[in-house]
Amino acid sequence: MMRRIFFLFATVLLGLIFPVSCYYDSEEDLYPQVQCDTSNVSFANDIQPILTNSCLSCHNAFSSQGDVDLEGHAAVVKYALDGSLVGSVQHDRGYSAMPQGTSKLEICKIEKMKAWVNAGAPNN
Ligand code: HEC
């Protein structure tokens, strides 16, 4: 009888210890995609490459679909400051979901765009 109680106790104890050990695993190793550096976001190094890859095919200076031109800082800043740049990539209600016809941008790209807009959309 004592043995059985001890066995039960040991099983419960192990069950408590194991999940706790996972707690100390580093988040970086477990979820690499969680890491997204949104400090010092630069228009030239961060934002422009996203636009070039995912948006300029439809929104360049010569062929601006929906009359939206996203080529160059001076053109982009208008949509950054009126909220439609972030609203459209976040698929917010009231904005056309972008990029049109394909899947949503990666979360880190959206976070960088938000950080840049929140910083006042600088030409940096
Ligand atoms: C395949 C073509 C295509 C791609 C790629 C595309 N767009 Fe658009 N976009 C459109 C069209 C067409 C419109 C206008 C019609 C509409 O609003 O649906 C538009 C409208 C917009 C608007 C105005 C939305 C509003 O509700 O005021 C913004 C801002 C915009 N796009 C940003 C982007 C951004 C940022 C990307 C890249 C992440 C992108 N678009 C990629 C075709 C595209």
Side-chain angles (χ1 to χ4, degrees), residues 54-55 58-59 65-66 68 70 84-85 88-89 95-96 98-100:
S54 306
C55 319
C58 298
H59 296 296
Q65 291 195 29
V68 175
L70 298 176
S84 60
L85 184 73
S88 64
V89 296
Y95 296 100
S96 303
M98 295 292 143
Q100 198 181 63

Side-chain angles (χ1 to χ4, degrees), residues 73 76-86 116-122:
H73 180 267
V76 178
V77 79
K78 173 177 172 230
Y79 303 98
L81 298 181
D82 75 7
S84 60
L85 184 73
V86 169
W116 175 72
V117 169
N118 289 339

Side-chain angles (χ1 to χ4, degrees), residues 2-111:
M2 270 321 274
R3 255 180 111 114
R4 219 180 250 177
I5 290 174
F6 175 74
F7 186 71
L8 199 73
F9 184 71
T11 312
V12 170
L13 203 67
L14 279 178
L16 287 174
I17 290 167
F18 273 104
V20 169
S21 67
C22 300
Y23 187 80
Y24 294 102
D25 283 345
S26 107
E27 198 176 80
E28 259 171 82
D29 294 342
L30 289 172
Y31 310 107
Q33 72 276 23
V34 164
Q35 299 305 113
C36 179
D37 186 5
T38 55
S39 58
N40 306 315
V41 175
S42 138
F43 178 74
N45 298 328
D46 300 295
I47 306 305
Q48 208 159 29
I50 300 172
L51 298 176
T52 302
N53 287 331
S54 306
C55 319
L56 288 193
S57 57
C58 298
H59 296 296
N60 59 71
F62 300 101
S63 159
S64 41
Q65 291 195 29
D67 211 24
V68 175
D69 173 11
L70 298 176
E71 195 169 336
H73 180 267
V76 178
V77 79
K78 173 177 172 230
Y79 303 98
L81 298 181
D82 75 7
S84 60
L85 184 73
V86 169
S88 64
V89 296
Q90 283 196 138
H91 295 187
D92 285 346
R93 193 185 294 261
Y95 296 100
S96 303
M98 295 292 143
Q100 198 181 63
T102 40
S103 50
K104 209 170 170 176
L105 293 179
E106 290 151 49
I107 290 169
C108 189
K109 291 181 178 172
I110 297 174
E111 289 302 316

